[in-house]
Amino acid sequence: MTSTGQEPSIFSRIAAREIPATIVAETDRIIAFEDIAPQAPVHVVITTRTQQYRNVVELAAGDPGLLAELVSVAAGIAAERSNGQFRLVFNTGEASGQTVFHVHAHLLAQPGPGSPAGDDSLGEGSLAFR
Ligand code: 5GP
């Protein structure tokens, strides 16, 4: 249980190293890791260490600075892996496809030349994630 009385989310458990994941960036308040079921050649989940906010609307209202930090981490990953070009998707609500109710963004991109995400097994062209 967390201090708010909630069970830890799957993302909190990844941040606590209870569940393995390929972590690609971390700050004091943000953690980013490879999505387990990638929908694009570069597909990184970027989330807050706190699970206090269920979605981006709550985060924007409750801690806009933390949302800005999340976007900054996304931009940094994209600068390294996809020439700074990317999509950032926040599924918000079950009907939109949200399955984990701990705010997170999907960073979706094509790998840039020479980037470490050279696996293009998901193909060239437009991103698959919808
Ligand atoms: P949502 O559907 O809530 O927008 O996104 C949740 C994402 O978390 C999905 O893309 C899903 O593949 C990813 N995910 C769920 N469980 C795990 C896990 O245990 N490890 C990792 N790395 N990603 C996960």
Side-chain angles (χ1 to χ4, degrees):
M1 300 281 270
T2 67
S3 56
T4 57
Q6 291 171 297
E7 289 298 326
S9 74
I10 189 135
F11 295 162
S12 292
R13 297 182 66 201
I14 287 172
R17 287 3 189 220
E18 290 171 21
I19 294 176
T22 303
I23 293 169
V24 300
E26 284 188 274
T27 71
D28 287 351
R29 300 205 292 165
I30 299 288
I31 183 161
F33 49 88
E34 304 279 3
D35 197 289
I36 202 169
Q39 304 294 309
V42 175
H43 186 171
V44 176
V45 174
I46 306 164
T47 189
T48 56
R49 289 191 189 276
T50 178
Q51 66 179 66
Q52 173 179 0
Y53 306 106
R54 288 166 54 84
N55 58 53
V56 68
V57 176
E58 290 187 8
L59 178 59
D63 192 341
L66 184 53
L67 175 58
E69 190 175 331
L70 186 155
V71 172
S72 169
V73 169
I77 296 167
E80 282 180 13
R81 297 179 66 167
S82 64
N83 285 346
Q85 300 184 50
F86 60 96
R87 293 171 63 199
L88 201 59
V89 174
F90 292 88
N91 293 331
T92 305
E94 222 168 309
S96 79
Q98 187 175 7
T99 57
V100 179
F101 292 86
H102 172 164
V103 63
H104 59 280
H106 297 263
L107 168 64
L108 300 151
Q110 299 290 339
S115 77
D119 174 8
D120 64 353
S121 59
L122 289 162
E124 299 289 329
S126 61
L127 298 169
F129 192 83
R130 291 288 177 262

